[in-house]
Amino acid sequence: MARPDKAAAVAELTEQFRSSNAAVLTEYRGLTVAQLKTLRRSLGEDAQYAVVKNTLTKIAANEAGISTLDDLFNGPTAVAFITGDPVTSAKGLRDFAKDNPNLVIKGGVLDGKALSADEIKKLADLESREVLLSKLAGAFKSKQSQAASVFQALPSKFVRTAEALRAKQAEQGGAE
């Protein structure tokens, strides 16, 4: 029979897995409390970083439909539950790990798909959602401007061609 406190912890972790866009598992062995506090701040407002018990978290992940993380639950484990832009939080983890080699990114999950530690680092190398959207908007605006120029050029080119044809006919008519 499961103890009520453990059942409540599993239920809370299950809800966090279900409500998060992504979850990243890390090993925090050797980090001080002050460093963990700094890490939590570097992840931003859209992420929660929690030190967890492996057995309870594994059960919660499986209840949430995530079984791809089972091999990562060994050693001291902490999970970053990300509800906002995963790129921003991945950058925070990557940058913190550069400065603090005791933080080891084990892997994670993004929208139900398992990610290795290398894939999380690649995710961190992406530009943020806002930057990508602004680049896309700029590309659309550029294409619209090019299309407008083409559409504007067609009538003026037609007028110049018609004028050249009229001038040529007038020249041939005057020469006869």
Side-chain angles (χ1 to χ4, degrees), residues 1-137:
M1 183 100 173
R3 291 191 350 216
D5 58 333
K6 288 186 178 184
V10 168
E12 182 180 337
L13 287 168
T14 302
E15 180 55 35
Q16 284 185 307
F17 274 113
R18 286 185 177 145
S19 64
S20 299
N21 298 339
V24 179
L25 276 67
T26 63
E27 183 175 321
Y28 63 93
R29 186 185 328 240
L31 293 177
T32 65
V33 173
Q35 289 172 321
L36 288 174
K37 188 175 181 180
T38 303
L39 173 60
R40 285 184 175 102
R41 271 192 248 120
S42 71
L43 293 178
E45 295 177 10
D46 295 332
Q48 283 186 313
Y49 189 75
V51 174
V52 296
K53 292 188 178 278
N54 288 334
T55 306
L56 298 180
T57 309
K58 186 176 181 178
I59 292 168
N62 287 325
E63 284 183 10
I66 303 168
S67 59
T68 56
L69 301 176
D70 289 352
D71 297 339
L72 303 178
F73 291 112
N74 50 25
T77 303
V79 181
F81 293 103
I82 304 164
T83 55
D85 185 11
V87 173
T88 305
S89 297
K91 283 181 185 190
L93 284 168
R94 178 199 60 197
D95 295 344
F96 187 85
K98 280 182 187 175
D99 297 336
N100 300 282
N102 288 336
L103 180 75
V104 177
I105 298 172
K106 296 180 179 182
V109 63
L110 174 65
D111 293 328
K113 180 189 177 290
L115 296 176
S116 68
D118 290 335
E119 289 173 324
I120 292 171
K121 290 174 185 169
K122 287 179 186 175
L123 180 66
D125 292 337
L126 290 176
E127 294 174 335
S128 71
R129 182 178 188 272
E130 290 77 23
V131 171
L132 291 174
L133 286 175
S134 64
K135 284 186 175 184
L136 182 63

